[in-house]
Amino acid sequence: MRMTWPIGCKAVSTWFSMNSIKRHAGLLFILPGLMGFVLFYLLPFMVSVWYSFMSRPAGGEFVGLSNYIDLLQSPAYRLGLRNTLVFMGLSVPLNMILSLVAAMLIKNTGRFKPHFVLIFLIPLVIPSGAMVFFWRMFFSSDGFLNNILSSLGFEGVNWLNSEYSMFTLLIIFVWKNLGFNLVLFLSGLSNVPKEYYEAAKTDGAGVLRTTISITLPCLMPITVIVLLMSIINSFKVFREVYLLMGAYPNHSVYMLQHFMNNNFFSLNYPRLTSATTLLSAAMAVITWGLIWLERKASHD
Amino acid sequence: MTRQGFYIASLVIITFASVLFMFPLMVTFTNSFMSEQEILLHYRTDLSLFDIVDGVYSRFISFRLIPRDFSLFQYRTVLIDRPLFLMLLVNSIRITAPVTIGNMVVSLLTAYGFTCWRCKRKEILFFVYIVVMLMPLQAVLVPNFIVADWLGLSRSHWAIIWPGIFAPFGTFLLRQSMKGIPNECYEAAQIDGAAGIKVFFYIVVPQMKSGITALAMLVFIEYWNVVEQAVIFIRDFNMEPLSVFLSRIADGRVGLIFAASSVYMLLPFVWLLAGQEHLEKGIELSGIK
Amino acid sequence: MKKFFVTMCMLLTMLVLAACSRGNGDPINITQHDPPPNQNATNQDDTIASYQQNITQPLVSEPLSGNLTISAFDSALMGPFLEQAAELFTYRHPGVSITVDVFSAVPEVMEIELEDGTMGHVMTMTGGPHESRDYINQINTELMSGRGPDILSLDILPFHRYAQVGQLANLREFMDNDQSFNINDYRPNILDAISTNNELYMFPITIDFRYLAFDSSLLTNQQDTLTARHAFTFEELFDIARPFLGHTRAGGYDHRMIAMQEMQLFTSMLDLYQSYFIDIGNRRANFTDGVFVEMLNQIQDYIAAGYLQERWEENMSMIGGTAATQRYFYRLNSALMLFNEFNRDDENRMSMDFGVGITDDDLVAGLLGNSLGHVPFSLGGRHGGAAFGINANSPNQELAWEFIKFLSSDALIEILRPPGGIPLYVSALEHMAQMWATGQFFTGANERSELALTAVEQARVDAYMETVNRFMDMFNTFNVTDTIIRDMVLEAVRDYWAGDISAHDLANRLQSSVHLVLNE
């Protein structure tokens, strides 16, 4: 509420100047969405940040930064943080590269395009609960994957409860979210004006050259979205992990979301909100960095 | 490599990838036609006495793609013996339909507003949109509950629908897509003397077809799978959406889960098929302004 | 072609919608299903009518008024119990209204054949881990937003975590300030065992425990040793019985120490030492100081020495046969079976014997304890137990306290299907013993006649009460049920039994996992 107040004020004060009515018509478009956003998202966000400075959710007292200090000293938090960073560092680039490659391949297939897109979108549609059974049968010690491995001569591995669990997560994550990025990249690719490609062809540029000089730069705006959405989706993988491996999985895949979920379960709200506020602060920094990067790229 | 060569190579690679991706779905779909006995037989790996006698010490699970006996037992149990299932399906629709439509409209308006509003501070606001969007669910659940209670919405579907309509992801996505519309379009409109709303309807919206379709699909899918909010806000099981029900039977009736999932997937699948055409058209029309 | 397919699907969807529209005005009312035949549905009018006959001294004199909400997860036993208790309470105090909120999940519907041959539907509520999680999330959200029900039923809620963040009111304050509350009616040592730092955050209404019975025909002349006022460790029991051990198969009998299988022995020992291994109050885990490993080794020794009941998978001859080929010195029986020890001479005896190899020569020994002197007990009822706590957010705490007192005393006497376990309130337990003695417990609640006991029956009740009181005085440790930690331990232990990891590995693994959970 506090952040939008000065903006609103300024808008209102300049509202009555004749010229500016047309200029601030934009505000009219924003207003309904903004009000809903403030009520259902911004307000709860700020309330939860506020709670991170209190000792108890309802009727507590102000304790300053002590919740944060406790948090950083908790071994569970540190473990969760480390694993989350590792997972994001592996999964996001993997997913983006694979989906970009897939988008470019699909673009070339002409009339089969919609069918392929459909196929890759299906994993998104399948509910987590349904696939859990499949994954369990696939990844368990006596599951299908170990079946294949042992018939190839390798020894089976405990995919669900060992250091290899991270690999399991990556597979599940890529399978589920490739379609999402694919749709975004296809949409971005379709916005690259055809004239550029034609110009490149008349200049005699090869496929690789075209890709690097034309496609990638034009994709920058959409890449920013894809990156952010991949980061968000890498959080959402929690649901599958939780259904598959429980609230306390192997130490190699115990992530921040597990930490937060368990603290919610333990009614430890100050811990929970301080963790999420820290997370949001980190996200804000990353986002700002990305936007700066995008602006720089689009100026070139 | 010739163009033809590229075409064939891409096709091969992508087909292979598709088969891999489709594998879980195919298993789910074909196994939904198995009888309960066959499923239990297949997915149990406890060693039985006979295994010990035969000297078999470890058994692996292998997926069977073609059922031995084609049986509609699962579908019959899910759809007919349990009328609740259809009721839950309707609840899911009751949540997803308003959210999808509402979100499309609100996001479109807001994104356009961001595009044409000229104010120095607007980027800060947009930044706030992004940061809030990234907040994980557990933290905002309690304040959301408080707000919903204050508005008198708790214990109803509206506690999920209203936040869904105003979800910031849509604004973010559409605004980024709008950046792709070159300035010449706006200038051309201005020369013709069109004002804000006309520009919106005649220039912007047609260009955004692919973006809007993509958004609608993604929002629909996300709310078709909603679980956490539904659990908190909806207490009466008669109003539960199907996603919650499925999240609970994952450990229970193994014999039914394939058919239940198949039916659950049917509607989004159909939606996907229907939206395909628009998506395709939107992609094809990219060059024409 | 595609358009056609899509249109058909849309039509199908609309058909589905249309078909279901009638279902929405007619939600399934779970209280109207036929109860399973062996559960008595107490008729509301009968209960109140009989209550009028048995009216006792009111607990408080001033008229009570207000609104209460009470929430429970278990819809099988606790839910109906609370609903009936609420009816009785509001009948007595017309100014009070109580809302009982039981967790609602989509029930399993199964077709069964009814007595008249037609097919009927039976709905059962599932109580699996996902439902538990959902219920806890619901309650937690309400509590964290400053609301929540006035009274919480322990069921599956992690009360110890709630207490750690101060979400539950300290009941000692109510107990101290309430003139009509006499703590001696409620076994003070048990309440002390549940308290931490002299603060009591939940009030139990029923108790459960396991007691030892021994076969006096096998362990001849040991009665005095075994019925001394003492809690026995497993080692002590086996020391006493070892001279009598014979593995002869002659006559077809194979003597075993105790009617327990390996996993049962393990869980029993884990229960005995739980407060030591998992120190919830101090957020510490104590698996790696040697006691745990020694316990495991001890169990292995007992197994190797053949003290335990065989697992039937291993002994093929037991399949199809009965356990009559084995006789056991000791048995560990549930508290509900204790009365059976006192009416073996009754020819019209009705009992609830669910043990292996119970003989008519069984006598009561004592309780199980550990080498540290702990004698643990647990709460009655399903899941975590039948206990109640008052929400610290609640504006009606005094009224809530009145209702909790009612639940623990009069409700257990008047309502015939208490939520499992034996009552903590002494008069209620005595009343229940009288019902067992006269057989009225099993016959049904609809005719409630005066409890007129013959001299023989009264003697049985007295003997039973004497033993129970002796036991109750011995309890000094309460095992907090933390389902997360418990599941974690059992799953890790499974790997140990399968031979995948050694005892030391198990100890280390448990130490790090439990430590993580306690210090999150």
Side-chain angles (χ1 to χ4, degrees), chain C residues 33-72:
Chain C
H33 67 277
D34 293 328
N38 60 353
Q39 179 176 355
N40 291 312
T42 42
N43 194 312
Q44 177 179 339
D45 293 333
D46 279 356
T47 312
I48 293 185
S50 62
Y51 184 77
Q52 279 174 305
Q53 289 173 0
N54 299 335
I55 203 154
T56 51
Q57 191 81 2
L59 288 171
V60 289
S61 43
E62 71 251 338
L64 293 177
S65 68
N67 297 321
L68 277 185
T69 339
I70 174 166
S71 169

Side-chain angles (χ1 to χ4, degrees), chain A residues 45 48-49 52-53 68 272-282, chain B residues 135:
Chain A
F45 176 74
S48 90
V49 171
S52 72
F53 295 112
Y68 288 92
L272 174 61
T273 45
S274 38
T276 46
T277 311
L278 267 188
L279 192 65
S280 300
Chain B
M135 192 72 152

Side-chain angles (χ1 to χ4, degrees), chain A residues 24 41 114 130 142 190 239 269 280, chain B residues 45 117 135 163 225 261 276 286:
Chain A
H24 289 291
Y41 288 91
D142 46 9
S190 72
R239 200 186 274 171
Y269 204 54
S280 300
Chain B
T45 58
W117 185 30
M135 192 72 152
N225 282 330
S261 312
Q276 270 275 283
S286 59

Side-chain angles (χ1 to χ4, degrees), chain B residues 7-25:
Chain B
Y7 176 70
I8 295 194
S10 324
L11 205 59
V12 166
I13 298 176
I14 209 77
T15 312
F16 180 67
S18 311
V19 169
L20 276 183
F21 265 68
M22 281 287 280
F23 180 64
L25 173 69

Side-chain angles (χ1 to χ4, degrees), chain B residues 77-78 80-85 87 237 245 253 256, chain C residues 28 30 33 105-112 120-126:
Chain B
T77 322
V78 162
I80 297 175
D81 290 349
R82 292 171 185 228
L84 297 173
F85 191 83
M87 175 180 78
F237 73 78
F245 177 69
R253 295 289 301 270
L256 293 182
Chain C
I28 296 172
I30 57 171
H33 67 277
V106 174
E108 286 259 319
V109 179
M110 290 185 295
E111 269 191 1
I112 57 162
H121 283 110
V122 166
M123 282 201 238
T124 55
M125 296 303 223
T126 52

Side-chain angles (χ1 to χ4, degrees), chain A residues 3-4 7 23-24 26-27 29-30 32-34 36-37 39-42 44-45 47-48 51 102 105-106 108-109 112-116 118-127 129-131 133-134 136-138 141-144 146-147 150 175 178 180 183-184 187 190 207 221 225 228-229 232 236 239 260-261 264 269 272 276 279-280 283-284 287-288 291 294-295, chain B residues 3 6-7 10-11 13-15 17-18 21-25 27 43 45 59-63 106 109-110 112-114 116-118 121 123-125 127-136 138-139 142-144 146 151 162-163 166-169 172-173 176 179 197 210 214 217-218 221-222 225 227-228 250-251 254 258 261 264-265 268-269 272-273 276 280 283 286:
Chain A
M3 271 191 99
T4 58
I7 299 176
R23 266 209 306 164
H24 289 291
L27 184 59
F29 278 97
I30 290 189
L34 187 62
F37 173 73
L39 186 59
F40 292 109
Y41 288 91
L42 194 57
F45 176 74
V47 167
S48 90
Y51 277 156
L105 286 176
I106 289 183
N108 282 339
T109 61
F112 294 121
K113 219 186 318 195
H115 301 98
F116 281 118
L118 185 66
I119 288 177
F120 285 104
L121 271 182
I122 286 174
L124 259 179
V125 168
I126 299 183
M131 287 321 293
F133 184 71
F134 177 84
R136 197 172 289 150
M137 294 295 117
F138 190 75
S141 299
D142 46 9
F144 191 56
N146 280 344
N147 196 355
S150 67
W175 180 79
L178 194 86
F180 191 92
V183 167
L184 292 176
S187 161
S190 72
V207 173
I225 302 184
L228 275 174
M229 290 319 298
I232 295 180
K236 289 202 197 138
R239 200 186 274 171
M260 297 195 285
N261 191 56
F264 185 85
Y269 204 54
L272 174 61
T276 46
L279 192 65
S280 300
M283 290 280 108
T287 311
W288 186 81
I291 290 185
E294 184 216 358
R295 206 157 292 163
Chain B
R3 201 128 280 258
F6 247 118
Y7 176 70
S10 324
L11 205 59
I13 298 176
I14 209 77
T15 312
S18 311
F21 265 68
M22 281 287 280
F23 180 64
L25 173 69
V27 167
Y43 293 110
T45 58
R59 268 180 57 162
F60 288 111
I61 297 174
S62 58
F63 292 114
V106 169
L109 288 174
T110 319
Y112 180 65
F114 267 110
C116 83
W117 185 30
R118 256 165 278 157
R121 301 279 174 81
E123 290 302 326
I124 301 180
L125 184 59
F127 183 69
V128 170
Y129 260 76
I130 298 177
V131 170
V132 168
M133 178 175 74
L134 299 173
M135 192 72 152
Q138 261 79 23
V142 172
N144 257 339
I146 298 178
L151 291 173
W162 282 116
F166 292 103
F169 169 65
F172 176 60
L173 176 65
Q176 291 293 97
K179 279 189 186 165
I197 294 191
S210 69
M217 264 195 254
L218 294 171
I221 287 167
E222 180 169 337
N225 282 330
V227 173
E228 288 88 0
D251 280 329
V254 162
F258 291 119
S261 312
Y264 184 79
M265 287 193 285
F269 194 76
L272 216 62
L273 283 178
Q276 270 275 283
E280 187 185 344
I283 295 174
S286 59

Side-chain angles (χ1 to χ4, degrees), chain A residues 242 248 254 262 264 266 271, chain C residues 133 136 140 144 161 520:
Chain A
Y242 173 70
Y248 288 92
Y254 177 89
N262 293 335
F264 185 85
S266 304
R271 243 336 199 242
Chain C
R133 279 268 157 175
I136 295 177
N140 284 4
M144 285 195 266
R161 293 175 197 253
E520 228 168 359

